[in-house]
Amino acid sequence: EKPEDIEQQLDAYLKIMWLDFVDEYKMHAPTVSKLWIYETYYHMQKLAEKWKVRYLWACNISLDQLKDLHKAFGIRTFEWLYNLECKVNEDVWIIKYCQDNDIRFICYQPLRRNRIARYNHPFLVDLEKKYKKTQNQILLNRIIKVKKIWALVKTSSVDNAKENLDALNFTLEE
């Protein structure tokens, strides 16, 4: 709504979580904000100068906006959708820009909430047999180890967490 909301909202979360600062702070959906994106990041940068925020994070913006924000505010992390079925960020060079400029690219929904594995794409079924790993493990391995992308994965149990971690215990052939 207004610039002062940025610090007030952060302060409220810091109080709830008993923290003095957060490692990273992001504007999740710039398209629905009433503030101009650069004005928002200007005020977020002020929070970094007060040591309430260590680094700024961007999400759901274009490559040109990312370049501008990175130049002006030193964006350290960028988050957007990436998976086998949606690779638009690779196609529009956002991932390459991040990798070339030391910005972590973090993808959400790398497994599409298990939908990709449920489709049983023939090539994934073949890889599942070859590596004796689940399709999700193969997908995570490719995203994390081959593409060098960080992945946010829903983990609903200890067994699920172990399975996700086991995705990093093998190497895919090119």
Side-chain angles (χ1 to χ4, degrees):
E1 295 285 326
K2 48 196 180 307
E4 54 270 19
D5 292 342
I6 297 166
E7 187 167 11
Q8 288 172 354
Q9 289 175 9
L10 177 63
D11 287 343
Y13 284 111
L14 292 173
K15 184 177 179 182
I16 290 167
M17 296 184 290
W18 301 341
L19 296 172
D20 296 321
F21 69 95
V22 292
D23 285 328
E24 295 190 293
Y25 199 37
K26 73 177 172 183
M27 181 180 193
H28 184 76
T31 56
V32 299
S33 175
K34 291 186 179 181
L35 298 175
W36 186 48
I37 188 171
Y38 300 99
E39 179 183 10
T40 300
Y41 275 89
Y42 170 81
H43 290 286
M44 289 167 61
Q45 181 66 37
K46 294 294 179 195
L47 298 175
E49 292 168 8
K50 292 180 178 182
W51 295 95
K52 291 184 179 186
V53 173
R54 288 183 63 203
Y55 306 110
L56 299 182
W57 173 326
C59 186
N60 301 319
I61 57 176
S62 71
L63 177 57
D64 288 338
Q65 289 172 314
L66 176 59
K67 286 178 179 180
D68 289 346
L69 289 176
H70 180 59
K71 182 178 177 184
F73 304 108
I75 299 297
R76 298 285 299 268
T77 302
F78 182 76
E79 177 187 345
W80 208 347
L81 179 68
Y82 180 86
N83 57 58
L84 177 68
E85 296 171 341
C86 182
K87 297 182 276 186
V88 68
N89 292 301
E90 194 168 44
D91 298 340
V92 298
W93 302 100
I94 288 176
I95 293 173
K96 177 147 178 39
Y97 177 80
C98 288
Q99 291 171 337
D100 290 348
N101 289 278
D102 198 29
I103 301 170
R104 280 183 300 269
F105 184 95
I106 298 179
C107 69
Y108 60 88
Q109 285 195 20
L111 306 174
R112 295 287 307 213
R113 298 185 177 129
N114 206 36
R115 284 183 242 156
I116 296 172
R118 284 197 304 257
Y119 290 142
N120 278 320
H121 295 286
F123 75 94
L124 282 175
V125 171
D126 290 345
L127 292 172
E128 184 177 37
K129 291 175 188 171
K130 177 178 179 175
Y131 291 101
K132 296 179 179 46
K133 299 289 183 180
T134 68
Q135 291 181 34
N136 284 340
Q137 287 173 320
I138 291 163
L139 292 167
L140 284 175
N141 183 288
R142 184 169 189 280
I143 289 169
I144 297 168
K145 290 181 75 175
V146 176
K147 293 292 186 176
K148 307 288 188 227
I149 295 172
W150 294 40
L152 294 175
V153 183
K154 179 181 177 183
T155 303
S156 54
S157 69
V158 171
D159 289 340
N160 186 229
K162 288 177 182 176
E163 180 181 319
N164 290 340
L165 286 171
D166 194 38
L168 304 177
N169 292 333
F170 69 102
T171 302
L172 289 169
E173 292 178 12
E174 281 192 39

